[in-house]
Amino acid sequence: MSPGIDLLLRNVRIVTCTDDACSITPPAFLAVLGGHIAGLGPMSQLDPAARAQREIDAQGALLTPGLIDCHTHLVYAGHRAREFEMRLQGASYEEIARAGGGIVSTVKLTREAVTADLYAQSARRAQQLMAHGVTTVEIKSGYGLSLKDELKCLHVARELGEHLPLTVRTTLLAAHALPPEYAGRSGDYIAHVAGHIVPEAARLRLADAVDAFCENIAFDLLQTRQVFEAAKRAGLPVKLHAEQLSNMHGAALAAEFDALSADHLEHVDEAGVMAMARAGTVAVMLPGAFYFLRDTNVPPIDLFRKHGVAMAVATDCNPGSSPTTHLPLMMNMACTLFRMTPAEALLGVTRHAARALGLAETHGTIELGKVADFCLWDVDHPAELAYTIAASPLRARFHGGRDHLA
């Protein structure tokens, strides 16, 4: 081990994750230099004379990769508690949206919010994610729905990553809903998204990817294709909200464009799953929205397993259908509601979540040379992370090798 190590963890039990399973090492050490993992191995191989600027005896705590929330709508203003009441009284997601509620109601509040207030509201949610072990988060726009306001949301997301100990990946989701000023003119709006918003977000380097909501209450396949073609011209990868409420065959379209991920997927068919498998597109499970909307159509987990499609798990943090910042709770829901295994759930918020953000080379596993993002947990077995419903056994969270006590 080279001298001048920044951080040395002793007596940790490291969770190592392959594509299929997770295992635990015997007591081990981990060394950090320059924000990256510079050494790791069994305690028997650690030089007794090894020293570091900061040393921690973990006393057998479990160490996992830092958790990655690969699908959030974190930047928005206000809340939609009234719609929650309406839904309990029988109104459907579609009925609320068609009545002028839903996404468009949050758009109004977000457009009206000054940047400082929007940042403050969003930072509180980001800090809640971090308190549950999240070290990397994807943040979508989509509550501005105009060039000015979409860029405002992306700026706020970038600022969160600059000011908080959190890695932020931004996704442009201008094709989220039809803004009121374009009522009855969805084609014109998509032309504006493809011709102006996508190129400008790319030019300003505010977006790491482009997303769209392909659904019967949002945008169709042809319109989604226009957005994806604009993203391709701008050199940006794509993601897609696909098959949440119906089978629009969006997953197959996403795969055609080598999408990083297709998300929700409650109604995807086997052809769509097979297309995703061929493209290496990750399936992102969003059990919070499934639960909150009281859906009954479970994503086809067995088909994803059968065809070798990697499954990620995320909060879908948003004001209308998944108002949560508790990623470990989503692991529990992925197991209880979707029948994923605890190992699949952990892979879904680490290794496979990194793939869904295009970060597999640097994040998501504990390996030499990777970014030193990891968490210490006071648990005996990784299954406990999905087993626990509310309390968090997080002892400490490390971002770039710097620790933040839980």
Side-chain angles (χ1 to χ4, degrees):
M1 188 185 305
S2 63
I5 292 297
D6 299 326
L7 172 69
L8 178 61
L9 293 177
R10 303 173 186 265
N11 298 310
V12 293
R13 294 178 302 125
I14 300 174
V15 177
T16 59
C17 297
T18 66
D19 276 338
D20 303 309
C22 297
S23 60
I24 309 171
T25 68
F29 72 90
L30 184 146
V32 175
L33 178 62
H36 291 76
I37 298 172
L40 72 165
M43 284 298 298
S44 61
Q45 293 181 8
L46 178 63
D47 183 349
R51 293 292 179 267
Q53 294 183 33
R54 177 92 190 279
E55 298 188 20
I56 298 174
D57 186 344
Q59 300 178 322
L62 199 73
L63 186 141
T64 70
L67 304 190
I68 299 171
D69 195 347
C70 65
H71 182 130
T72 83
H73 304 255
L74 199 71
V75 174
Y76 63 86
H79 63 80
R80 303 222 298 265
R82 175 57 187 143
E83 290 179 17
F84 177 60
E85 292 182 294
M86 292 170 63
R87 196 173 291 113
L88 293 176
Q89 293 165 2
S92 71
Y93 186 93
E94 294 94 331
E95 288 169 341
I96 291 171
R98 294 189 191 284
I103 293 167
V104 174
S105 63
T106 298
V107 169
K108 181 177 184 297
L109 294 171
T110 302
R111 286 180 173 183
E112 292 171 350
V114 298
T115 300
D117 287 345
L118 189 58
Y119 176 89
Q121 292 183 52
S122 303
R124 284 195 292 272
R125 290 184 282 269
Q127 288 162 344
Q128 291 164 2
L129 283 172
M130 291 158 55
H132 294 299
V134 172
T135 54
T136 299
V137 62
E138 183 250 23
I139 300 178
K140 303 179 190 296
S141 64
Y143 292 123
L145 306 188
S146 71
L147 177 60
K148 179 187 75 171
D149 293 299
E150 284 293 291
L151 296 181
K152 178 176 77 171
C153 291
L154 291 172
H155 271 295
V156 168
R158 285 284 197 232
E159 287 181 6
L160 291 171
E162 292 168 3
H163 298 141
L164 299 175
L166 182 69
T167 298
V168 172
R169 299 291 283 183
T170 57
T171 298
L172 175 67
L173 181 58
H176 194 196
L178 191 63
E181 63 270 23
Y182 279 89
R185 298 187 296 127
S186 62
D188 290 343
Y189 178 63
I190 289 298
H192 177 59
V193 170
H196 298 281
I197 301 181
V198 170
E200 188 65 1
R203 185 185 71 81
L204 295 173
R205 299 191 177 186
L206 287 175
D208 299 310
V210 172
D211 198 347
F213 188 15
C214 184
E215 192 51 76
N216 52 26
I217 62 168
F219 301 104
D220 62 28
L221 283 174
L222 209 55
Q223 293 166 332
T224 302
R225 179 180 291 276
Q226 283 181 258
V227 175
F228 281 4
E229 287 172 345
K232 185 176 180 178
R233 289 192 298 272
L236 294 173
V238 299
K239 303 164 70 70
L240 187 65
H241 286 60
E243 272 74 274
Q244 180 185 11
L245 307 174
S246 61
N247 185 11
M248 298 276 291
H249 305 291
L253 177 64
E256 181 185 333
F257 282 82
D258 296 318
L260 292 172
S261 72
D263 306 27
H264 286 291
L265 300 170
E266 283 88 342
H267 293 267
V268 69
D269 57 20
E270 188 162 13
V273 173
M274 292 172 67
M276 291 174 62
R278 289 191 295 270
T281 298
V282 176
V284 179
M285 302 294 98
L286 302 172
F290 178 93
Y291 163 81
F292 199 79
L293 296 176
R294 295 188 293 175
D295 203 346
T296 57
N297 214 81
V298 177
I301 302 299
D302 285 338
L303 283 181
F304 297 138
R305 291 173 180 149
K306 174 183 174 181
H307 294 289
V309 174
M311 292 181 286
V313 176
T315 63
D316 192 16
C317 173
N318 76 77
S321 63
S322 191
T324 181
T325 52
H326 201 316
L327 188 55
L329 178 58
M330 298 303 99
M331 294 169 63
N332 175 277
M333 287 187 176
C335 295
T336 56
L337 300 178
F338 296 168
R339 297 298 188 262
M340 291 175 68
T341 68
E344 286 173 333
L346 182 55
L347 284 164
V349 298
T350 54
R351 187 184 188 97
H352 297 328
R355 285 183 57 186
L357 296 182
L359 295 175
E361 297 300 314
T362 54
H363 293 70
T365 57
I366 305 295
E367 296 181 79
L368 283 175
K370 286 201 168 183
V371 173
D373 288 357
F374 39 81
C375 293
L376 278 176
W377 306 90
D378 288 320
V379 299
D380 293 325
H381 192 277
E384 292 180 60
L385 301 178
Y387 160 78
T388 305
I389 293 177
S392 176
L394 181 66
R395 180 190 296 185
R397 167 191 171 279
F398 295 77
H399 179 259
R402 296 181 180 273
D403 61 306
H404 306 272
L405 299 180

